[in-house]
Amino acid sequence: MEDLSRPSFAQKIARVLADEIVERRLPPGRKLREQALAERFGTSRAPIREALYLLGQEGLVERTPRRGAVVKRYSPREVEEVYRIRLTLEEMALRRACDGLGMVRRAVAALEPILEDMEASRKDARRYHELNVLFHRTLVEVSGSPVLPPVYTQIEGPLRMFLRLSVMSREDVEKSIGDHRRILEAIAGGDAERAARILGAHELDGMNRALEAMREEDRRATG
């Protein structure tokens, strides 16, 4: 019997390519040629097509006329829209997480170990990024909502790109850790309003850093 819990070869390829897209080793606009990828991964084109389809579903790849599959390029307006959607979903999750002592304890128990790992990984940019993504995903999941997690999943692909761009320097990491610590402290106190204010400022700051990083990429590409 097939083990459905194990990722398929196409899913493994998609994960490798997703990491390269998030880390900008495959930059926006880069064409993803099926034959070249098939040769790289030592496979036929069928798993490559499936992998590119999966990446398209995540919002990391798009198909364009005459060019085929390319790494998706997001406009500043699209970045802002994704961040606004994210903030709305996470604010809703926060309010649910702060709704009673039982929910607060559940949220703190889930988030505190992640934050501790974030603090311990402050010198490992890639690991810190993974934990940053996990912290926010977990916040949505512990809300207990059956609606929020699947909606959040739909924007998580581009969010991974934007979050990586928004936390590049050591100063960014320290600021990010401080924000997450204060968000968690507000949740622990059951103060949804304070947690939402800190989260809103955190999201705005991160969005602005991501947009500036994208502008710098464009300047380097054209200069």
Side-chain angles (χ1 to χ4, degrees), residues 158-175:
L159 268 177
R160 288 181 63 206
M161 286 195 291
F162 306 154
L163 285 173
R164 184 68 182 94
L165 287 171
S166 71
V167 183
M168 300 293 285
S169 70
R170 182 173 180 178
E171 290 76 16
D172 294 340
V173 170
E174 293 302 326
K175 173 68 164 56

Side-chain angles (χ1 to χ4, degrees), residues 186-203:
I187 294 173
D191 192 340
E193 295 300 327
R194 178 169 178 263
R197 287 196 300 272
I198 298 168
L199 178 67
H202 172 72
E203 301 283 24

Side-chain angles (χ1 to χ4, degrees), residues 74-144:
Y74 281 87
S75 69
R77 181 173 182 177
E78 288 172 322
V79 174
E80 291 178 8
E81 289 174 347
V82 169
Y83 267 95
R84 290 182 184 279
I85 293 169
R86 180 200 191 195
L87 179 57
T88 298
L89 296 175
E90 291 188 4
E91 282 184 340
M92 293 173 69
L94 275 176
R95 297 182 191 286
R96 289 180 65 105
C98 292
D99 188 16
L101 184 58
M103 290 295 292
V104 167
R105 286 176 173 171
R106 178 185 175 194
V108 172
L111 295 170
E112 180 67 43
I114 301 173
L115 181 55
E116 290 176 355
D117 285 345
M118 291 170 73
E119 291 171 339
S121 302
R122 53 179 16 109
K123 295 182 179 179
D124 184 343
R126 185 168 182 176
R127 176 62 177 157
Y128 183 84
H129 169 66
E130 292 171 351
L131 291 165
N132 189 3
V133 172
L134 179 60
F135 183 96
H136 289 270
R137 181 194 307 141
T138 302
L139 170 60
V140 173
E141 290 173 349
V142 297
S143 69

